[in-house]
Amino acid sequence: MNVAVAKTTTGATLDGTFAAARGRLPGTGPVTETRQRAFDTFAVGGLPTRRVEEWKYTDLRRLLGDVAPLAAAPDAAALGEARKAVAALKDGDTQKLVLVDGMLAADLSDLSAGNGVTVHALSAVLADEASAARADLLLSKVNDPMLALNAAFATDGVIISVADGTDREKPLQIVHVTTKPKAASFTRSLVRIGNNAKVTLVETFVATEAAKAYQVHDTTVIWVGDNSDLQHVRVMEDALDAASIASAIVTVGAKSKFNTFSLTTGGSVSRYQSFITLAGEGTELSTNSIHLLRGQQHADCTFVIDHATPGCMSRENFRAVLDDHAHSVFQGKINVHQIAQQTDGKMMSRALLLSDDAEIDNKPELEIFADDVQCGHGATVGALDDSLLFYLRARGLPEKEAQSLLIQAFVGEALESIVNDDLRDVAIGAAERWLGTRA
């Protein structure tokens, strides 16, 4: 019996966009088939709505309306503007890999191999018919509509391999630069870190002045070997009228440390969702996330952590500072498998509301199938302490400056989790720029 799949309005509208984009999407044969299956999966439901439990507080059908058309490949003018944006970044000494409007810009990137690191363009690997695993680069173990959409449209990204035993002081940095207005970029990067390795990975999202009302759809897949240490820093400063939907899928080996930090100050609509599996015993995970929002901004931070082996520890810390009519969402879920005895997992969400019209939604979840565990969660919501404000103002500080000092103290613990001094300064600088925009 043949069954016709009914597509949503969004899915039907995207049919023409997907067909038109086929010529620009790298890969043939299995890659093309994988893309088609991913697109069909997305088209069944389209953009997620409140009816999808995982997206209950971030209704993309309402917030986005539709997916923007695929951005054109960057021309010389776009690359020139992107070069200026990259030069303006004050992020210390890093190996930069620059993606402009969804395409790897080789002339702006340091693609040199060495010190245990090799870098390839995703588009080149997908287009290489000799690569047996090329279709696997688009596959995901996570069932999510936006991951499926990303797999269908991914134009480029970077594939980073870090050899066993690498101890690298110089951070690897993926810089996303948008130059096109009212267009969408789709990037997918894969990072494989060997055993006994120590690496810092940075992700930065910025835009040129001409980029308005654009969309960024990004996925990063990370594998961390045994006895390794990955420091991950993510700073999102997209344009205030942009939309950013980003996902991370991370698998961590035994006796490893994974410390990830995320700061969101840009975008009118954004969601950063991270799916982390602790696949080896004795692993330590620390996540620190900050939302600094104002105006009508809506930002969603979702973490799903799978404790799949015994003796692992996870800590989730989330901070939100909300002004005007801003809306922040934090969803934290800890899954403890039956085999994962002696799990230690905790999450905490704290929000600071600077306006009566600001809103925070917290959704902590614990799903525990083991009996020898220590798991818990907590959440607080409040305003600036009037007595502390009075104390600071009584010593001559203007009201806004006093508020800024208290806000910096509120998010300071999360910022201090960044080990690299230069990268910590980058995050502090982004926070200070946000504070400077407050009227």
Side-chain angles (χ1 to χ4, degrees):
M1 180 178 64
N2 294 326
V3 179
V5 178
K7 294 183 178 179
T8 64
T9 302
T10 301
T13 302
L14 268 179
D15 264 336
T17 303
F18 185 60
R22 282 181 182 275
R24 282 199 50 211
L25 301 177
T28 58
V31 175
T32 301
E33 295 168 5
T34 300
R35 288 186 185 277
Q36 185 64 59
R37 287 194 297 270
F39 178 77
D40 291 341
T41 298
F42 170 80
V44 170
L47 290 172
T49 68
R50 291 180 59 87
R51 294 184 178 183
V52 180
E53 181 62 27
E54 294 81 4
W55 293 82
K56 179 179 179 181
Y57 300 106
T58 302
D59 186 339
L60 289 187
R61 191 87 55 85
R62 178 180 62 84
L63 293 169
L64 287 187
D66 212 335
V67 179
L70 188 64
D75 55 17
L79 292 175
E81 291 301 310
R83 186 184 296 276
K84 296 177 185 177
V86 174
L89 296 174
K90 298 178 181 180
D91 40 27
D93 185 20
T94 65
Q95 181 175 349
K96 292 181 176 59
L97 308 169
V98 183
L99 299 169
V100 181
D101 297 327
M103 300 297 296
L104 179 63
D107 291 344
L108 305 183
S109 303
D110 180 2
L111 301 177
S112 60
N115 296 324
V117 175
T118 59
V119 181
H120 299 282
L122 174 68
S123 57
V125 175
L126 290 176
D128 182 6
E129 296 184 2
S131 176
R134 59 192 182 277
D136 294 342
L137 300 177
L138 298 176
L139 297 177
S140 170
K141 64 181 180 180
V142 179
N143 182 22
D144 178 83
M146 302 312 290
L147 282 170
L149 181 67
N150 180 274
F153 280 93
T155 52
D156 210 350
V158 292
I159 301 176
I160 302 172
S161 296
V162 180
D164 293 350
T166 299
D167 188 349
R168 185 181 176 89
E169 291 186 7
K170 188 174 184 177
L172 297 162
Q173 182 176 17
I174 303 174
V175 183
H176 299 258
V177 184
T178 301
T179 71
K180 301 287 194 305
K182 299 181 180 180
S185 61
F186 293 85
T187 51
R188 190 179 186 91
S189 296
L190 301 99
V191 182
R192 186 178 293 276
I193 299 170
N195 301 326
N196 303 297
K198 187 174 182 180
V199 185
T200 298
L201 175 67
V202 187
E203 293 183 86
T204 309
F205 296 78
V206 294
T208 62
E209 188 174 347
K212 303 293 182 183
Y214 60 86
Q215 295 180 12
V216 173
H217 299 268
D218 177 63
T219 296
T220 303
V221 183
I222 302 173
W223 298 272
V224 182
D226 298 339
N227 298 295
S228 292
D229 186 334
L230 174 60
Q231 304 291 318
H232 178 221
V233 178
R234 182 180 184 275
V235 178
M236 196 280 268
E237 291 187 277
D238 276 308
L240 289 177
D241 58 355
S244 174
I245 309 298
S247 304
I249 304 173
V250 186
T251 304
V252 187
K255 298 180 180 178
S256 290
K257 293 182 179 179
F258 178 40
N259 179 31
T260 178
F261 170 88
S262 175
L263 171 64
T264 298
T265 64
S268 62
V269 178
S270 67
R271 172 164 164 135
Y272 178 53
Q273 52 181 9
S274 187
F275 306 91
I276 304 172
T277 301
L278 306 182
E281 295 187 29
T283 290
E284 297 181 12
L285 166 67
S286 174
T287 76
N288 288 272
S289 305
I290 299 174
H291 282 172
L292 299 177
L293 308 177
R294 60 185 175 86
Q296 302 284 341
Q297 284 181 283
H298 176 108
D300 183 329
C301 179
T302 294
F303 275 85
V304 179
I305 298 173
D306 272 324
H307 282 262
T309 53
C312 293
M313 181 183 74
S314 65
R315 294 289 184 269
E316 293 178 71
N317 294 297
F318 175 76
R319 301 287 185 275
V321 181
L322 311 175
D323 206 351
D324 305 321
H325 294 267
H327 183 192
S328 175
V329 177
F330 173 70
Q331 298 184 110
K333 184 174 184 179
I334 298 177
N335 296 319
V336 181
H337 296 221
Q338 187 172 3
I339 193 176
Q341 303 294 338
Q342 297 182 331
T343 286
D344 183 358
K346 295 179 176 64
M347 71 177 86
M348 172 59 77
S349 168
R350 291 189 173 94
L352 188 60
L353 305 185
L354 306 179
S355 163
D356 292 339
D357 298 314
E359 180 181 349
I360 172 77
D361 286 304
N362 286 307
K363 185 187 176 187
E365 294 180 87
L366 300 174
E367 193 171 82
I368 302 171
F369 294 98
D371 52 16
D372 182 10
V373 302
Q374 296 183 52
C375 292
H377 63 78
T380 65
V381 179
L384 289 172
D385 191 314
D386 288 336
S387 61
L388 291 177
L389 276 176
F390 176 80
Y391 176 85
L392 293 173
R393 296 201 65 192
R395 277 147 183 80
L397 287 178
E399 182 177 4
K400 289 298 180 183
E401 188 174 340
Q403 290 178 353
S404 294
L405 284 175
L406 294 179
I407 293 170
Q408 290 178 52
F410 178 75
V411 300
E413 180 183 353
L415 289 167
E416 288 300 319
S417 70
I418 304 175
V419 175
N420 184 289
D421 292 339
D422 290 337
L423 297 179
R424 190 185 313 116
D425 289 342
V426 170
I428 292 174
E432 289 176 344
R433 283 191 291 276
W434 182 85
L435 288 170
T437 62
R438 295 189 64 229

